[in-house]
Amino acid sequence: MKRSRLRWTALAIALVAMLGCQRESKLRIGFVVTTLANPYFVDMTDAAKQEGQKHPNLELIVQAPDSATDTDRQIQIIEDLITQRVNAICVVPADSKSIVRVIAKANQANIPFLVLDNKVDEKTARDAGVNITAFIGSNNFLGGQLAGQFLGQQLKGVGKVAILEGITGVEAAVQRKSGFLDALKAFPQIQVVASQPANWDREKGMNVAQSIMQANPQLAGIFACNDEMALGAVRAIKETGAKRHPIVVGFDAIQDALAAIKAGDMAATVAQLPAEVGRLGVATALSKIEGASVPASIPTEVKLITNENVASLRH
C-alpha cells in the first residue's frame, strides 16, 4: 500500500512539474491596434487571432485604446506589455512619433517590436536610435496615388476637390495625402480648396465635409484618407439634398464602404489587406522569437476598388 501511495505521489509531482514547464514555456505576443471601433482593425485582429490559434503554445494579447486618438493610452498598454515580459509586440501606432519612446523601452527589454500598417516617423526613430524588427503594411503613398489618378480621371482633369485627412502627424495619413497630391500633378486644372483632419472618424468626417461643402458650393470631389471619414462625407452629401454632389473616394475597403460603392454613394476606395497584415504580424513575430531572420519590410497589396470590381473583392 505504501509503495502504491509513493508511486502516485511521484506521478503527481512529475505531472505538476510538467504542467509548470508548459506554463513557463508558453509564448505571449502583444497585439495592439489604435481602436477596435473601426471594422478595418477588427478584420486585422480577427486574422491575427486565427493565426495565433494555429499555435497551441501561443497566447495572443489583443488590446486597443477606446479612441484612435488616445496616444497616451496606447503607450500605457504597450508599457504594461513590456512589464509583463511578453515575447514580442505588434503595434499599429496611433502616433508615428510619440511611439518611438516606447519602442526604446522594448529594445532595452530585448522584446522584438513589430510595426503594422502605419509606419513610424523615420527621422524620430533614427534620432532615438531605436530598432524596429519589421514593418508590415501597404504602401500608403501608392494608395494615395491610385485615389488621385482615379479622381482626376473621373473629373476629366477639371474641378475643385477637398481632402479629409486622418490624425495630424500620423504617417499613414501623411503618406496617403502626399500620394494623392502627387497624382494630381498630372491634372493642373484640379484645385485642392481644403485639406482638414477628421481623425479617422465617421462623425467628424461628416462635420468637416459639411463645413467644406458650405464654403465651396462647387466642390467636385472628396478624397478621404480612410473609409470611416468617406462614409461621413457621404452622409453630409445626403443631408444637403443637392442634385449634383462631389465624387467621394475613400481608403481601406471596409464593408460599409463596399456597400456604399455598390449603392452608388461612393465612387471608389483603395483596398488594403488588413487581415493579411494581422496574419503576417503574428507569423513574423513567431519567426523572430524562434530565432529566424525576418525582413525589415514586408509589403502588402493596395488595389483600387470601384463599381466595376467591387463584387469580386474578398477580404
Side-chain angles (χ1 to χ4, degrees):
M1 193 71 175
K2 271 186 182 179
R3 226 179 258 167
S4 177
R5 200 176 290 124
L6 285 169
R7 193 181 300 118
W8 278 111
T9 302
L11 184 61
I13 291 169
L15 184 60
V16 168
M18 184 179 72
L19 290 172
C21 287
Q22 285 179 346
R23 274 196 296 269
E24 286 174 10
S25 62
K26 195 172 185 70
L27 299 176
R28 293 182 302 154
I29 295 175
F31 197 96
V32 185
V33 296
T34 59
T35 176
L36 289 171
N38 187 329
Y40 178 84
F41 293 115
V42 173
D43 286 348
M44 186 182 294
T45 54
D46 283 349
K49 290 173 185 175
Q50 288 170 11
E51 181 66 24
Q53 287 167 1
K54 296 177 185 177
H55 307 275
N57 201 39
L58 172 65
E59 178 187 356
L60 190 69
I61 306 167
V62 175
Q63 291 183 299
D66 291 333
S67 167
T69 59
D70 196 346
T71 302
D72 290 341
R73 175 59 185 146
Q74 189 186 55
I75 286 173
Q76 183 183 40
I77 288 168
I78 299 166
E79 286 176 337
D80 288 345
L81 290 168
I82 293 169
T83 301
Q84 293 174 41
R85 303 292 302 179
V86 295
N87 298 95
I89 302 174
C90 299
V91 177
V92 178
D95 183 273
S96 299
K97 292 183 179 179
S98 61
I99 195 71
V100 168
R101 69 177 184 266
V102 81
I103 298 175
K105 291 181 180 180
N107 288 171
Q108 289 164 9
N110 293 317
I111 298 173
F113 197 102
L114 291 80
V115 174
L116 313 181
D117 192 65
N118 177 37
K119 284 186 175 180
V120 171
D121 183 76
E122 289 184 13
K123 184 179 185 305
T124 307
R126 186 169 58 250
D127 290 347
V130 299
N131 176 56
I132 297 167
T133 302
F135 169 75
I136 301 165
S138 59
N139 186 326
N140 284 294
F141 186 86
L142 174 58
Q145 285 180 316
L146 291 176
Q149 289 163 4
F150 173 81
L151 193 53
Q153 290 163 0
Q154 292 297 301
L155 297 178
K156 296 182 170 56
V158 180
K160 296 180 178 181
V161 301
I163 303 170
L164 299 184
E165 304 170 15
I167 297 171
T168 302
V170 170
E171 188 70 9
V174 172
Q175 289 298 314
R176 291 173 191 182
K177 176 183 172 179
S178 297
F180 179 77
L181 292 174
D182 183 72
L184 290 191
K185 291 174 184 176
F187 306 97
Q189 293 185 66
I190 289 181
Q191 181 186 3
V192 178
V193 295
S195 182
Q196 296 180 29
N199 295 352
W200 306 125
D201 183 74
R202 195 176 301 198
E203 190 75 21
K204 182 80 171 172
M206 181 183 73
N207 295 334
V208 173
Q210 281 178 334
S211 176
I212 291 172
M213 287 189 294
Q214 286 169 2
N216 301 276
Q218 300 303 313
L219 193 71
I222 296 174
F223 170 53
C225 289
N226 86 336
D227 283 337
E228 288 292 320
M229 297 185 295
L231 291 162
V234 167
R235 274 174 53 190
I237 290 165
K238 286 184 175 181
E239 289 188 7
T240 66
K243 289 183 181 179
R244 182 181 180 280
H245 57 76
I247 294 170
V248 178
V249 179
F251 205 114
D252 283 344
I254 65 173
Q255 291 300 324
D256 284 356
L258 301 181
I261 291 171
K262 291 174 184 176
D265 295 327
M266 275 176 63
T269 183
V270 178
Q272 301 188 89
L273 300 173
E276 185 68 358
V277 172
R279 185 191 71 76
L280 283 170
V282 173
T284 306
L286 278 170
S287 293
K288 182 65 178 178
I289 292 167
E290 291 165 358
S293 176
V294 300
S297 181
I298 302 173
T300 55
E301 185 185 7
V302 289
K303 181 180 181 182
L304 186 74
I305 304 300
T306 67
N307 61 357
E308 293 181 0
N309 62 354
V310 65
S312 65
L313 184 65
R314 294 286 181 274
H315 276 286

